Amino acid sequence: MIDNLEQLRAAIEVERKYKFIDIQGKNYSFSSFIRKLARKEYKTSGKKPKWAVLLETFEHYPMASSLERKRAIDLLIKIVKSELEVSKNEDIKKTNTPKIQNPTEVDVTYVKGVGPKIAYMLNKLGIYTANDLICYFPRKHVDYSSRTLISQLREGETTTVFGYIHNVSIYNSAKGLSITKVIIRDESGKLELTFFNAKANKYVQERMRSQFPKDAGIMLSGTVKRDSYTNKLTFDKPSYSIMTGEFLTEEKSNLNIARIVPIYTVCENLNIKVLRKAIFNAITLYQDNIQNIIPQEIKERLGLMDKKEAVLQIHFPETMEKLEQARFSLIFEELFLLQLKMVRLREETSKEKAINLKIKDDGIVKQFIKSLPFELTGGQKKAVNEILHDLNSDKPMARLLQGDVGSGKTVVACIMLLAAVENGYQGAIMAPTEILAQQHYNNLIQWLTPLGLSTGLFLGSQRKTVREKFRTNLKNGQMHIAVGTHALIQDGIEFNNLGAIIVDEQHRFGVKQRNLLKKKAANPQMLTMTATPIPRTLAMTVHGDLDLTIIDELPKGRLPIKTALTSSHRSVYKLIEDEIQKGRQAYIVYPLIDESETLSAKAATVEAEKLKTEIFPQYKIGLLHGKLKNDEKEQVMSDFKNKKYDILVSTTVVEVGVDVPNATVIVIENAERFGLSQLHQLRGRVGRSDLQSYCVLVSASKSQETRERLEIMTQTNDGFVIAEKDLQLRGPGEFLGTRQSGLPDLIISDIVKDAKILEIARMEAIDFVKNHNLKDYPLLEKVTSLQMFGGLDI
Ligand code: ADP
Ligand code: MG
C-alpha cells in the first residue's frame, strides 16, 4: 500500500507543470523519488512485477525524451491506480471472504495460468489487473473455423483440416537437421507436413514421434502453401492439436485452432497461446462479475449483447456475426460512458454561477457594431447572437467558437469583451503567441480608442516600465480590456473586476492555463475560440462538454484562394514578381527543422539572404523568425503591414492568425513537412481581402502518398473537409498535437472509424440524463463519476 499518495500526486503535478524536466526536489530528483517508491513497493508487495517494470522505466527516465517521459508518467499513474484498486481487495482477502471478486481488484499475477514471470511480461503490455487482461482486446481475428477437405485445399487460403495421423517418419538430414514428416489423411486425401529441428539423437527422435501417435485425430489450422521441395500442397507453420480424449471432451477450451482465433499484440517472450489461455481463464473465472453497465432499456433497444457475452465473443467468437455484435456492443459502451461523462461535466459547470451580462439597445456593443466599416456576415451575426444569449444568464457559458481562417472571429471576440465593459466589468483575451497578441491589441486599440476605452497589452518580453503602467491601470480599473499571452496569467497581474474571458486558439493552451485565467475573476463568462476546424467526431470527444458555434462563411467578396503544387521554383518566382508589380505582397514560409526554432531561424536567414542577393535584388525583403526579440518581431510585422517590405520570409511563426490583407501570395517550402491542417492555417494568411490570392506548395517529394496528400489542398478551400482528411490520415493524437490533446484513453473505439456509433452514443447519453435520475443507476453513476480515483486523478 502506497503510504504517501498526496506527496506522490504533488510530485507528478509539479513534474508535469515543468514539462518533464526531472525536477530536483529537496532531497531527490523526480525520477529518483519514483525509483525509491518502486523499490520499496517491490519489496513490500512480495515482488509484484509491476514495480519492477516501473523501476526499469524510471531508470531510463533521465535519458528519455520528453515524449517518453510523458509516457512514463502515464504508466506510473496507471500502475498506482491499479494498486489502489487492488489493495481494496487485499484488505478484503485478509478478512477472509472468498466470495467472487471484482476483476479490477485482482492483481493479474493471481489469474490462473499467470505466474510472476508471465505477469512481468503482461505488466509490460500495460496489464496489471485481471480486468486489464479481460479488456486486452484482440488486434484482429483469423478465421480458422471453417473446415476444408484435404482434396479441396487451395494455395494461399487460411483454413483448418481435420484428419488422422497416418504415418510419421523421422530422420537426420545430411545438413545436420532432424526432419519429421507427418502424413495426415482425411476422407478425401493425404497431406504431408514437414518439421525441421536441430539434429537429434534416438531418444529425442522417439520423443518427437510420440507427439504424433499413429491414428490419433489431428486438427491443423494455418495458411496453405506449396512445398518447394515436393511441389505438393501443405501448411506453412500450422497450429495443430492432437485430438486426445481430453481434447474431444473439452472442445471449447481449444483456443488456438479450428475456430475464429484472436490475435493480440504481444511482446517478446510472451507466447500468444499463453496469453489466450490467461485471458480465457480470467473471463471464465470472473464472468459472474462482469456486469452490464448500459441501462437495460438502451441495451434492448439497440440490441446490445450482455457484457459478459460480449467480452467472451470479442476474444473467442463463435461466428463472425457474433464478433461484430460484440464489437458494436463494447464500442457503444465505451463511447456512451465517455459521452455520459461529458454530459455530467457539463452539468457540473452549469451548477456554477456566473455574472449576467445584458446589453442595451443604445449601449456600447450596439454602438461598436454600427461603427464598423463593414457589415457582419450572417455567420458572425449568428455567433454574436448565441454568445449574447449565453451571457445573458447567470450560468457560465461553455462555448467553443470555431471559424475557418479569415472568417472574422476577432470582431466577434471584441463584441463579447464589450458586453463585459457595458456591464461595468473588464474583459481579457489571451492568445498563444506574441505576434498574435500584438495583432489583437493593434486591432482593439484601433476600434476601441475612438469609443473612449482603454486597452492594455501583456507580453512576457515587454519592457518592465511598460508592463508596470499597464499592470497598475488593470488593477485600479482604469483599463477596460487586457490582451496578452501567457503573461496574463502570471502572479501579480490582477484585475479590478474581470467579467469576460476569451481564449484564442484554445488548443494551444492547457486546461490549467485556462483555469488560471478564470481564477483572476469571481464568476467570469468564458469563450474559447479556434481557427482549426475540428471534425465533429473529435469535437464531441474532446470538447463534448462544450456548445459549438461555427462561423461557416467568409466575409463577402472573398475569392477562393488558388492553390498549386510544384517542385520547381521558376514559376513561383514569376508569380511573386507579377503580384508585387500589382502592388501586392508575398510570404515565403519555411518549415520547422527538427522541432528547433533556432535551426529554422538559421535556415530562413540563409534563404532570405539568397533571395535578396540572387533572385529579387530589386525588392525589399523582410525576415521573421522565432529567435527575434519581441519588439523586433513587432517591427517586422508592422513594417510588412505598412508595405515597407514586398516579401516576408518567415518560419512558421506566421502560422497563427497573422492578418495582412494586402498579401496575396504565400509560398510554402518543403510543404511535405506540414500536416494538412497546418498548411490550411498557413494558406489562411492570404485571401483576406477581395483580391485574388494564391498559395503555392513547393515539394520535391516523389512519394505517391505525399503528393496525394498535398493534392487535397489544391482541391478544396474548406477547412472542415481538410481537417476530416487530416484526421483520417494522421489519427486523432497527431491531429490534435502533443501539446494538449485531452484525448481520452479509448480501449476499443476509434473515433474516426466508429464515428457513427459515437453519434448514437452521444444522443443516447444526452437523452438518458434528460429522462432519468443517475442515482437510480449506481454502477453507471460510479463509472462516469468525475473523480473515480480520489486523490490521484490528475
Ligand atoms: P480570423 O477568424 O482568421 O481570426 P480575423 O478576425 O483576423 O479572422 O478577420 C480577417 C479579416 O477580415 C480582418 O482583416 C477583418 O478586419 C476582416 N473582417 C472581419 N469581419 C468582416 C466582415 N464582416 N466583412 C469584411 N471584412 C471583415
Ligand atoms: Mg484570428
Side-chain angles (χ1 to χ4, degrees):
M1 186 64 206
I2 304 159
D3 350 289
N4 205 338
L5 208 55
E6 260 323 293
Q7 192 186 3
L8 175 63
R9 199 190 58 78
I12 295 174
E13 196 166 344
V14 170
E15 176 69 3
R16 275 189 173 163
K17 181 170 165 197
Y18 289 98
K19 304 267 181 272
F20 320 109
I21 55 170
D22 199 8
I23 195 152
Q24 186 64 44
K26 232 184 282 158
N27 302 316
Y28 304 100
S29 68
F30 175 72
S31 63
S32 60
F33 171 68
I34 303 299
R35 288 198 297 274
K36 197 165 128 298
L37 170 96
R39 266 188 224 108
K40 187 182 135 252
E41 292 298 324
Y42 185 67
K43 251 195 231 139
T44 56
S45 67
K47 304 198 173 170
K48 267 191 203 159
K50 62 185 171 194
W51 299 113
V53 172
L54 188 66
L55 183 61
E56 256 173 54
T57 308
F58 276 84
E59 267 161 4
H60 178 63
Y61 194 88
M63 284 86 78
S65 71
S66 67
L67 186 65
E68 285 171 319
R69 288 181 180 195
K70 191 171 167 299
R71 292 215 183 102
I73 290 180
D74 291 345
L75 174 86
L76 166 66
I77 292 174
K78 194 162 181 217
I79 289 182
V80 173
K81 278 184 179 173
S82 82
E83 184 60 24
L84 294 179
E85 281 288 298
V86 166
S87 58
K88 274 193 223 162
N89 167 263
E90 279 169 357
D91 294 344
I92 299 171
K93 243 199 264 164
K94 276 179 209 133
T95 60
N96 205 1
T97 22
K99 63 168 188 190
I100 309 159
Q101 294 161 352
N102 186 341
T104 58
E105 297 170 7
V106 177
D107 195 289
V108 72
T109 322
Y110 302 126
V111 173
K112 198 173 116 198
V114 181
K117 259 197 200 138
I118 293 168
Y120 173 79
M121 292 184 277
L122 293 176
N123 286 175
K124 286 202 144 184
L125 292 171
I127 302 169
Y128 308 103
T129 64
N131 190 59
D132 290 342
L133 196 56
I134 292 170
C135 293
Y136 195 71
F137 297 131
R139 191 159 47 81
K140 60 173 189 177
H141 291 83
V142 180
D143 190 353
Y144 288 146
S145 60
S146 54
R147 176 200 178 190
T148 308
L149 290 173
I150 289 175
S151 63
Q152 311 280 308
L153 289 175
R154 275 182 326 242
E155 199 174 339
E157 85 179 313
T158 296
T159 188
T160 295
V161 160
F162 295 89
Y164 290 90
I165 296 174
H166 183 64
N167 189 32
V168 184
S169 56
I170 304 185
Y171 56 92
N172 284 327
S173 77
K175 283 184 188 145
L177 285 173
S178 159
I179 297 173
T180 308
K181 280 190 187 292
V182 182
I183 294 175
I184 293 160
R185 178 174 53 80
D186 73 1
E187 57 265 44
S188 74
K190 281 185 201 158
L191 175 80
E192 186 177 282
L193 293 179
T194 314
F195 300 95
F196 298 96
N197 290 294
K199 188 172 172 177
N201 62 31
K202 219 169 62 196
Y203 299 104
V204 177
Q205 288 193 353
E206 270 325 297
R207 206 173 327 127
M208 277 296 289
R209 189 190 301 281
S210 69
Q211 283 183 22
F212 296 101
K214 195 161 179 310
D215 293 330
I218 183 169
M219 211 188 277
L220 286 173
S221 288
T223 306
V224 181
K225 67 158 186 184
R226 195 167 289 283
D227 186 308
S228 55
Y229 204 69
T230 62
N231 204 32
K232 286 188 192 141
L233 289 181
T234 180
F235 275 85
D236 189 20
K237 301 190 199 77
S239 304
Y240 60 88
S241 180
I242 309 294
M243 298 205 258
T244 61
E246 180 209 16
F247 177 81
L248 286 174
T249 51
E250 250 190 279
E251 195 174 342
K252 262 199 137 175
S253 71
N254 182 27
L255 307 173
N256 304 307
I257 62 170
R259 59 169 305 130
I260 303 171
V261 175
I263 307 293
Y264 301 95
T265 306
V266 287
C267 58
E268 222 183 322
N269 300 330
L270 178 60
N271 185 313
I272 192 164
K273 289 184 188 167
V274 172
L275 179 61
R276 280 183 198 133
K277 190 75 195 162
I279 291 174
F280 186 78
N281 289 343
I283 297 174
T284 322
L285 223 51
Y286 298 107
Q287 57 182 340
D288 293 330
N289 229 301
I290 301 176
Q291 303 179 51
N292 285 318
I293 303 176
I294 300 293
Q296 187 63 19
E297 176 265 326
I298 296 179
K299 199 173 132 258
E300 275 171 18
R301 188 156 38 78
L302 298 182
L304 305 178
M305 271 180 175
D306 253 340
K307 175 76 180 271
K308 189 164 78 179
E309 179 69 4
V311 165
L312 184 65
Q313 295 295 334
I314 193 90
H315 287 286
F316 306 106
E318 280 163 35
T319 62
M320 285 317 241
E321 290 71 37
K322 286 202 175 171
L323 172 62
E324 271 322 299
Q325 201 197 347
R327 188 178 283 139
F328 177 82
S329 305
L330 293 170
I331 291 174
F332 178 83
E333 182 192 282
E334 184 168 56
L335 295 175
F336 178 79
L337 296 180
L338 174 71
Q339 291 302 322
L340 196 56
K341 243 185 181 172
M342 298 274 177
V343 175
R344 293 188 66 182
L345 195 63
R346 180 59 201 276
E347 279 202 325
E348 281 306 302
T349 13
S350 71
K351 279 188 204 136
E352 289 167 23
K353 283 260 173 272
I355 49 174
N356 178 307
L357 301 174
K358 257 194 200 65
I359 65 152
K360 293 196 260 334
D361 275 344
D362 54 354
I364 206 159
V365 168
K366 288 279 156 91
Q367 225 177 310
F368 169 71
I369 295 175
K370 250 186 254 154
S371 79
L372 283 170
F374 45 73
E375 197 188 334
L376 295 181
T377 65
Q380 285 170 322
K381 283 182 189 158
K382 194 178 101 219
V384 167
N385 283 339
E386 287 177 356
I387 289 168
L388 293 179
H389 176 84
D390 284 0
L391 293 179
N392 187 5
S393 151
D394 52 9
K395 290 199 172 139
M397 161 186 240
R399 189 170 290 282
L400 174 65
L401 176 62
Q402 286 192 45
D404 211 343
V405 273
S407 61
K409 291 182 293 298
T410 318
V411 186
V412 176
C414 184
I415 290 172
M416 168 155 165
L417 297 174
L418 289 178
V421 175
E422 188 170 324
N423 286 271
Y425 293 96
Q426 293 169 302
I429 177 164
M430 182 161 73
T433 67
E434 298 207 330
I435 292 184
L436 193 53
Q438 180 77 50
Q439 182 178 288
H440 282 325
Y441 177 68
N442 296 348
N443 277 328
L444 291 176
I445 46 178
Q446 186 196 327
W447 288 331
L448 303 183
T449 316
L451 300 175
L453 299 180
S454 141
T455 307
L457 177 66
F458 295 84
L459 301 174
S461 68
Q462 77 197 142
R463 256 179 269 134
K464 273 235 169 68
T465 46
V466 179
R467 162 95 66 107
E468 226 16 66
K469 197 183 101 218
F470 281 142
R471 211 172 67 88
T472 314
N473 287 343
L474 187 66
K475 192 169 174 186
N476 66 24
Q478 279 181 35
M479 182 184 293
H480 300 99
I481 285 169
V483 188
T485 57
H486 301 81
L488 267 182
I489 52 180
Q490 271 156 13
D491 292 343
I493 303 283
E494 287 167 50
F495 289 79
N496 186 278
N497 59 347
L498 178 58
I501 296 171
I502 296 174
V503 180
D504 194 10
E505 301 300 335
Q506 55 79 32
H507 59 284
R508 301 205 167 207
F509 293 101
V511 179
K512 275 246 163 75
Q513 292 166 317
R514 278 180 253 160
N515 285 341
L516 277 174
L517 187 53
K518 240 176 153 174
K519 286 211 179 101
K520 306 238 173 210
N523 296 299
Q525 296 282 10
M526 180 155 104
L527 174 74
T528 52
M529 305 203 295
T530 179
T532 310
I534 302 173
R536 196 178 145 68
T537 54
L538 201 53
M540 281 193 309
T541 323
V542 184
H543 303 298
D545 56 328
L546 299 176
D547 296 321
L548 285 186
T549 290
I550 297 174
I551 305 184
D552 50 6
E553 68 185 299
L554 298 179
K556 259 200 249 81
R558 297 280 156 88
L559 300 167
I561 301 164
K562 290 187 177 161
T563 302
L565 175 62
T566 177
S567 57
S568 106
H569 280 94
R570 204 174 319 137
S571 55
V572 178
Y573 294 145
K574 172 86 172 58
L575 173 69
I576 293 179
E577 172 119 40
D578 289 349
E579 286 298 299
I580 295 178
Q581 287 304 322
K582 286 189 226 156
R584 313 281 170 254
Q585 293 160 283
Y587 295 98
I588 303 181
V589 182
Y590 291 91
L592 265 188
I593 300 171
D594 298 333
E595 301 280 310
S596 150
E597 185 60 54
T598 310
L599 282 180
S600 318
K602 269 193 198 142
T605 310
V606 170
E607 292 300 327
E609 236 5 83
K610 206 174 101 191
L611 286 165
K612 260 185 217 167
T613 51
E614 294 171 23
I615 300 161
F616 295 121
Q618 70 277 37
Y619 296 132
K620 285 162 290 172
I621 297 178
L623 174 63
L624 182 71
H625 57 68
K627 287 281 136 181
L628 296 179
K629 293 214 189 66
N630 178 52
D631 43 358
E632 294 169 332
K633 271 190 230 160
E634 212 312 90
Q635 192 61 48
V636 175
M637 273 322 298
S638 72
D639 284 351
F640 187 58
K641 200 157 188 160
N642 295 328
K643 291 181 81 171
K644 288 197 186 142
Y645 299 123
D646 302 299
I647 300 172
L648 184 66
V649 174
S650 169
T651 59
T652 45
V653 291
V654 295
E655 176 191 349
V656 178
V658 168
D659 184 40
V660 179
N662 189 52
T664 54
V665 184
I666 185 161
V667 177
I668 303 171
E669 299 281 348
N670 296 102
E672 73 281 352
R673 297 220 199 155
F674 295 94
L676 288 179
S677 292
Q678 208 185 354
L679 287 173
H680 182 66
Q681 285 300 311
L682 284 167
R683 176 166 64 181
R685 293 316 108 225
V686 299
R688 300 176 85 84
S689 67
D690 50 12
L691 303 165
Q692 175 64 56
S693 287
Y694 306 88
C695 168
V696 187
L697 308 176
V698 184
S699 173
S701 168
K702 296 224 158 51
S703 141
Q704 177 76 7
E705 216 180 296
T706 305
R707 298 207 78 83
E708 273 171 23
R709 187 168 66 90
L710 294 176
E711 291 287 351
I712 295 170
M713 295 296 298
T714 66
Q715 291 151 8
T716 179
N717 272 300
D718 184 330
F720 278 92
V721 174
I722 290 168
E724 246 353 300
K725 289 274 187 211
D726 204 26
L727 178 62
Q728 278 166 20
L729 289 170
R730 292 197 297 166
E734 285 283 309
F735 179 89
L736 289 170
T738 44
R739 197 170 310 203
Q740 180 255 321
S741 75
L743 267 182
D745 275 335
L746 293 172
I747 300 178
I748 186 167
S749 319
D750 173 324
I751 58 166
V752 179
K753 290 198 198 110
D754 302 321
K756 286 222 178 77
I757 308 180
L758 180 60
E759 292 273 1
I760 302 172
R762 179 157 178 88
M763 282 177 341
E764 290 289 346
I766 292 170
D767 265 13
F768 184 77
V769 171
K770 224 183 263 165
N771 301 321
H772 300 79
N773 189 346
L774 257 180
K775 293 267 174 298
D776 301 335
Y777 300 81
L779 184 59
L780 194 58
E781 155 136 56
K782 181 174 165 239
V783 299
T784 58
S785 98
L786 306 175
Q787 280 167 346
M788 262 191 78
F789 296 98
L792 202 81
D793 234 7
I794 306 173

